Amino acid sequence: MIRWHERADEKDNEKYLLMIAYLIGLSTGVHLMSVLAIVPVAMVVLFRKYLEDEEACKKTAVMFVIHAGILVLISLAMWGAQKSTTPPSPEEYQAYDTKFKK
């Protein structure tokens, strides 16, 4: 991705993006963690080629921080709602699983 970013304004720069897409597709067969690379690649392409408005970048950053804060608050609320500090017993696991079985 760094190589594409350096040569984004030159001729034939798309070959780097095609190589990245090919490698992500190929590595998906091994492990699905490679799919996580799609988001940063898309962000680099977006910010390098299509987003030139400084005000829009600032609004995007503010929205990201707000959403991250909301996720942190939700996770803290869920963490605080836990009643026990000990791991569940096998019977508690089974009782929880039976809620979802018919």
Side-chain angles (χ1 to χ4, degrees), residues 16-54:
Y16 296 107
L17 295 176
L18 288 174
M19 183 184 68
I20 291 168
Y22 175 72
L23 289 175
I24 288 174
L26 195 62
S27 63
T28 301
V30 176
H31 200 279
L32 287 175
M33 272 307 245
S34 62
V35 175
L36 293 175
I38 294 173
V39 174
V41 168
M43 289 179 68
V44 168
V45 171
L46 174 75
F47 288 128
R48 178 74 164 99
K49 283 289 196 178
Y50 301 108
L51 196 61
E52 296 177 1
D53 185 17
E54 191 71 28

Side-chain angles (χ1 to χ4, degrees), residues 9-101:
D9 296 326
E10 296 176 8
K11 184 181 176 198
D12 284 341
N13 64 9
E14 295 86 10
K15 64 184 175 185
Y16 296 107
L17 295 176
L18 288 174
M19 183 184 68
I20 291 168
Y22 175 72
L23 289 175
I24 288 174
L26 195 62
S27 63
T28 301
V30 176
H31 200 279
L32 287 175
M33 272 307 245
S34 62
V35 175
L36 293 175
I38 294 173
V39 174
V41 168
M43 289 179 68
V44 168
V45 171
L46 174 75
F47 288 128
R48 178 74 164 99
K49 283 289 196 178
Y50 301 108
L51 196 61
E52 296 177 1
D53 185 17
E54 191 71 28
E55 194 64 34
C57 284
K58 289 179 184 176
K59 287 180 183 178
T60 303
V62 167
M63 291 301 289
F64 175 77
V65 169
I66 290 171
H67 283 103
I70 290 170
L71 286 174
V72 167
L73 290 175
I74 290 171
S75 63
L76 287 174
M78 291 176 70
W79 185 39
Q82 290 182 348
K83 295 181 170 99
S84 174
T85 58
T86 60
S89 68
E91 293 81 21
E92 290 173 328
Y93 275 126
Q94 190 175 15
Y96 182 78
D97 285 344
T98 56
K99 292 182 199 177
F100 303 104
K101 295 178 183 177

